[in-house]
Amino acid sequence: MSAARVVVVTGGTRGIGLGLSRELLARGHQVAVCARSQASIDEGVTVLRAGLADPGRVLGLVTDVSDRAAVQALWDAVSAHFGRVDLWINNAGLSAPRGPLVAQLPATVDAVVQTNLIGAFNGSAIAQAGMAEQAGGGWIWNMEGFGSRGEHQPGMATYGASKRAVHYLTEALVKDAKGTPVKVGFLSPGIVATDLLVGDYAGDPEGFEKVRRVFNILGDRVETVTPWLVDQMLGATKHGTRVAWLTKPKAMGRFMSAGFRKRDIFATGEA
């Protein structure tokens, strides 16, 4: 579809969200991003507007995605500014330092669940209601992560449980929205070198070094993954589509060729 679309990317000022936003703008679309602080909005919007002939194609708004009223205000502001919302990407996410659940601070667990799960609930509900009322409907995309499809590792209870719940939520939305003008999809970026990934090992540099080799085999950088993800989302037509970058065959191929290909996805300039 060549016509410009209006896209909301929650958590769109850093990491994968920022990468998705940049690729959408590069393809001529209009993008609204949200973050929890004005400083993050200012920084992200500055990056996204750099080099654009029309800076008005970028809108940034402070939004707490765990607050349903705030998410509704985001929808209302974007609709008023651009006239509609064609794609809503529930990307905002938090992780927690790896470790046993008993060692996780209650505030950390609450923040992860509120952002990853409640944020996806709120974004999905608001977008589904709004898109059902506009001509042509729209697409809701929910971001998968470790745990979404039943993966398990020690120390990942908080993040993994939140993402498993988001997967169930998305499956339910696919059923709920069947036969309506609103389509729902799963977005799976795989392992991407972001501050979220590195932050999982905050305070555990030895643990990070143990898994770094695997990350360098299976992982990629934001600028490698996001162009493909955006093209797949924009080209999707089937309700319930799952867009997945790291498939099992790709992972197997990566492991088989690991001895012949040296990569460091955490180094500047690695593609």
Side-chain angles (χ1 to χ4, degrees), residues 231-242:
D231 287 340
Q232 296 301 306
M233 281 191 293
L234 295 176
T237 58
K238 185 179 179 181
H239 180 52
T241 291
R242 180 172 184 258

Side-chain angles (χ1 to χ4, degrees), residues 68 90 113-126 128 140-144 148 161-177 184-186 239:
R68 179 70 65 95
N90 284 312
V113 173
Q114 287 292 319
T115 301
N116 297 2
L117 178 56
I118 304 303
F121 264 104
N122 290 337
S124 297
I126 296 299
Q128 185 177 19
I140 299 168
W141 292 92
N142 283 340
M143 187 70 72
E144 294 190 330
S148 288
S162 73
K163 284 299 183 179
R164 184 63 169 165
V166 169
H167 184 81
Y168 183 95
L169 166 65
T170 310
E171 290 181 323
L173 285 169
V174 170
K175 295 182 182 298
D176 289 349
V184 180
F186 304 78
H239 180 52

Side-chain angles (χ1 to χ4, degrees), residues 20 67 191 226 230 257 264:
L20 293 173
D67 182 340
I191 299 171
T226 52
V230 165
S257 63
D264 186 356

Side-chain angles (χ1 to χ4, degrees), residues 95 98 146 153-154 156 159 189-202 204-221 225 245-246 251 254-255 258 261-267 270-271:
S95 190
R98 290 185 181 229
F146 183 87
Q153 277 188 10
M156 291 292 289
Y159 181 81
I191 299 171
V192 184
T194 65
D195 56 356
L196 191 71
L197 179 65
V198 177
D200 285 350
Y201 295 88
D204 184 17
E206 291 184 2
F208 179 72
E209 287 305 316
K210 289 179 180 178
V211 297
R212 183 169 182 145
R213 180 175 179 275
V214 175
F215 285 163
N216 280 326
I217 293 172
L218 296 179
D220 292 282
R221 293 179 62 83
V225 175
W245 169 260
L246 184 62
R254 291 272 183 95
F255 275 117
R261 187 185 183 201
K262 302 301 179 183
R263 307 170 73 234
D264 186 356
I265 64 173
F266 303 99
E270 172 71 26

